[in-house]
Amino acid sequence: MSITFDKSTDIFQLNTKTTSYLIGIADGKYVGHIYYGKKLDNCQGGYALLRTEERPFVPSANMRDKAGFADGFPYEYSTAGVGDYRESCLSVRTPQGHRVCELAYLGYEIFDGKRELPGLPSTFEIVGAPAQTLEITCKDAALGLTAVQSYSVFEDSDAVVRSVRLINEGQQPLYIERALSACLDMDDESFEMLTLTGSWARERHITRCPVTYGKHAVSSVRGCSSHQEHPFAALVTPGTTQDAGEVYAMHFVYSGNFLALCQKSQHDSVRMVMGIHPEGFEWVLKPQDSFQTPEVVCVYSDQGLGKMTRTLHDLYRGHLIRSPYLHKKRPVLINNWEATYFDFDSDKLVEIAKDAREAGIEMLVMDDGWFGKRNLDDNSLGDWTVNEEKLPGGLPALVERVKAEGLSFGIWFEPEMVSPDSDLFRAHPDWAIQVPGRAPTQSRAQYVLDLSRPEVVDYVYGCVAKILRSADISYVKWDMNRQFTDLGSAFLPPERQGELPHRYILGVYELQERLVTEFPELLLENCAGGGGRFDPGMLYYSPQIWCSDDTDAVERLAIQEGTALLYPLSCMGAHVSACPNHIVGRGTPFETRGHVALGGTFGYELDITKLSAEEKEKVTKQIGLYHRYNHLIREGVYYRIASWRENHLYDCWEVAAEDGGEAAVTYVQVLASPNSRSRKIRLKGLDEKAVYRLEGTEKIFAGQMLMYGGVLIEPQEGDYVSQVLHFVRV
Ligand code: GLA
């Protein structure tokens, strides 16, 4: 890792373990992108890639064609209004109503370490893996606006993380209409754009399309990062596979509205930008005020998607997730949502706890329906008082009973919401996000609380903390079940209404920061109607996030494949549920449901009291597998071997120990096919020189043979059948 500036060539060079990122200063004024790719020892001649020798020339030499220059220059941070007609990162309105901004290079600083981003989640250095940061300062003198573009690299990572700080050093307020976080201007290489898209209950499916002239975007204006489109985009060269091809990826460390856009220009250059979605966004920057954009993680891989995946997994495990649970085995939990929905009481929960303990489950999580008068989803959000009709003696009594059965206790909250039918809404209707004079749109019969308002943040925190202080609670599932409409805050003045979506997310971050500070031992799992706010921002607060409300083992294959493209398996909330599955009605073998859930955090979401003795035995067996493999799943190196989305027959992934000492391969035969032969699977990440035994058998394989020859998987009878093969070095 190193960051250098070569004065003689005006080039900054950021080196990660295997990549280099080069930035040049053209004409002493324009900060431009030169190169991102394989690590370079020598960047002589690189300056030419700024294309300053091409027509039209750099403006100081030729002001006549400045617009032509601006529309082709590879900017590190593009601005609107002076002739760059491509997607801009920064757009600023003056009190006079003008929208022109141009940043000129002022200076730089290179320092050891990395600054925190105030109020925002961000990557950090750790002992043994320090960071280095480059800050490039630019200014628009006419606006009095300074922009500090920050780039950090880490000793043990191939990622470059970026953000921008805007400071109003002028005399008048400025209105920031867009402030994206990162821009990457490159030449087109027939790129394809890879994104994650979906919907409720089918989140983060991998999507790929060619980049042609014009703009291609994924985004959210839903108030959260969303089920529908993920704050991630990658440009990949044609034919990129898990192991080959070039990948330029951006991933946003943010949980609210976002834009990730690729644009192919008239000159066959491609620009990729990422940041807070400009739609509905405006930030008032008073003199001396500053605005910090969230962070973007950039990854380049010359070895396909697999290397990108592993770079992100390692970065998030090493430099983003802070929870003390990160490297700990999480308790195997049982959640009562699909078991009972709202229809439960203490006795029912204790009954579940009893059978759960016998099977080896370690924690009971009480889901929605324990507070106010909530027996349906249309009331009581905001009234966080225990319903003593359901839970006589309140939480302390229930928690003690559950603990007496030998389980720890977890609880569900949806703190950011308010039901119209709640004491909170009756007392403070102005605490809900809405526009006076309009009947606000409801979704799941609820409104969103205005977390831009400090007293609301305090109220919400007070409610959650009071419950957590009242009993021995080890885990919280923090849910968020509706997206934004009717954006209006009774708290913010008219000119600051455009700040609401971002201030809301800052409120969410503040709440969770307070929570993990007061309750450092708490295991926090984020959730948003399933996986509607599964993003790197939330990982800063919780080591795991509920992946999807769809717990069907087959649907989960695509969801977990897409999620694991970016996220370590240790943060993907995954449970075994009952069949027929509550979302799709499909029946799958109990074993397969276990093998798929083992690819995530692992737990149960069913009424264990209704399982047969045989099924209960299977639960115990699965928990045995969890204890056997969890260290691998949590800490290991992930390889995607085959995708059922692509081949329509089978799915396969592997997790290998970092030193290649063992590997677990999960193989799911989704559909049986007639007259088929054994399928050959090649393993990855093993020790070539070692010899391995397939656990449970006497079979011995050379590491080289497994990696380059492969192992045969026999066809099984029936659909949706699965197996885990565990190879251990002998
Ligand atoms: C959301 C969650 C579910 C469950 C329900 C409760 O849909 O994703 O797991 O907690 O809310 O209302």
Side-chain angles (χ1 to χ4, degrees), residues 144-217:
L145 181 72
T146 296
V148 181
Q149 299 164 44
S150 165
Y151 303 77
S152 298
V153 291
F154 302 91
E155 181 79 46
D156 62 345
S157 174
D158 259 328
V160 176
V161 297
R162 300 176 56 173
S163 67
V164 176
R165 195 164 71 246
L166 301 170
I167 307 138
N168 183 352
E169 290 175 340
Q171 305 301 321
Q172 56 175 1
L174 295 171
Y175 302 89
I176 311 292
E177 295 188 329
R178 68 160 63 207
L180 304 190
S181 297
C183 174
L184 191 57
D185 274 358
M186 299 185 292
D187 287 313
D188 186 30
E189 296 180 49
S190 305
F191 282 128
E192 292 166 3
M193 185 178 175
L194 193 140
T195 54
L196 299 179
T197 58
S199 180
W200 171 75
R202 52 181 162 81
E203 297 88 341
R204 291 176 296 286
H205 285 211
I206 298 172
T207 311
R208 210 153 149 163
C209 68
V211 174
T212 51
Y213 294 104
K215 297 180 181 179
H216 312 259

Side-chain angles (χ1 to χ4, degrees), residues 40-76:
L40 306 178
D41 297 329
N42 185 337
C43 59
Q44 259 183 326
Y47 191 85
L49 296 178
L50 288 176
R51 298 176 182 274
T52 52
E53 300 304 317
E54 282 188 83
R55 276 182 303 157
F57 306 126
V58 173
S60 65
N62 177 8
M63 279 304 281
R64 203 181 73 93
D65 287 322
K66 183 173 166 184
F69 160 79
D71 207 19
F73 185 70
Y75 285 100
E76 270 298 307

Side-chain angles (χ1 to χ4, degrees), residues 373 378-383 417-428:
K373 54 175 175 117
D378 65 355
N379 66 80
S380 299
L381 291 171
D383 298 345
M417 299 290 152
V418 61
S419 307
D421 179 8
S422 66
D423 293 340
L424 179 66
F425 187 71
R426 283 182 283 272
H428 298 286

Side-chain angles (χ1 to χ4, degrees), residues 200 335 337 342 367-369 374 377 412 414 444 477 479-481 527-531 546 548-549 605:
W200 171 75
N335 177 304
W337 178 240
F342 294 103
D367 210 280
D368 193 356
R374 192 155 163 105
D377 64 5
W412 176 97
E414 195 178 356
R444 213 192 193 210
K477 175 176 172 188
D479 208 343
M480 190 276 190
N481 273 312
C527 172
W546 184 228
S548 178
D549 278 348
E605 185 109 4

Side-chain angles (χ1 to χ4, degrees), residues 36 590 730:
Y36 191 23
F590 206 88
V730 290

Side-chain angles (χ1 to χ4, degrees), residues 392-586:
L395 272 180
L398 172 62
V399 175
E400 283 320 307
R401 286 180 68 189
V402 171
K403 279 176 62 187
E405 298 299 339
L407 277 81
S408 55
F409 187 84
I411 194 167
W412 176 97
F413 281 101
E414 195 178 356
E416 302 162 50
M417 299 290 152
V418 61
S419 307
D421 179 8
S422 66
D423 293 340
L424 179 66
F425 187 71
R426 283 182 283 272
H428 298 286
D430 55 332
W431 283 13
I433 290 179
Q434 56 180 316
V435 173
R438 307 186 73 92
T441 307
Q442 288 187 29
S443 175
R444 213 192 193 210
Q446 63 196 55
Y447 302 137
V448 185
L449 284 171
D450 179 2
L451 297 184
S452 74
R453 193 173 183 138
E455 65 192 312
V456 177
V457 171
D458 285 343
Y459 170 82
V460 167
Y461 185 73
C463 293
V464 175
K466 189 171 168 201
I467 293 287
L468 296 185
R469 289 179 205 127
S470 76
D472 187 3
I473 297 172
S474 316
Y475 161 107
V476 163
K477 175 176 172 188
W478 180 300
D479 208 343
M480 190 276 190
N481 273 312
R482 73 150 288 180
Q483 303 178 337
F484 285 13
T485 60
D486 304 275
L487 278 171
S489 163
F491 170 72
L492 294 172
E495 73 275 14
R496 288 194 182 271
Q497 291 292 319
E499 299 179 9
L500 177 56
H502 182 56
R503 284 192 184 275
Y504 176 89
I505 289 295
L506 294 177
V508 173
Y509 291 151
E510 185 190 330
L511 280 169
Q512 297 213 347
E513 186 67 40
R514 283 165 77 171
L515 192 69
V516 299
T517 306
E518 182 177 345
F519 304 97
E521 296 305 318
L522 187 74
L523 174 56
L524 179 61
E525 175 155 358
N526 269 291
C527 172
R533 204 165 58 186
F534 199 123
D535 56 65
M538 299 316 291
L539 276 189
Y540 187 66
Y541 305 95
S542 66
Q544 60 196 60
I545 305 177
W546 184 228
C547 232
S548 178
D549 278 348
D550 197 332
T551 48
D552 171 65
V554 177
E555 287 300 311
R556 274 291 181 130
L557 294 177
I559 295 169
Q560 293 183 193
E561 179 193 0
T563 308
L565 181 73
L566 311 179
Y567 299 94
L569 306 192
S570 61
C571 60
M572 303 197 309
H575 297 165
V576 175
S577 64
C579 276
N581 179 267
H582 291 199
I583 303 276
V584 290
R586 184 180 285 126

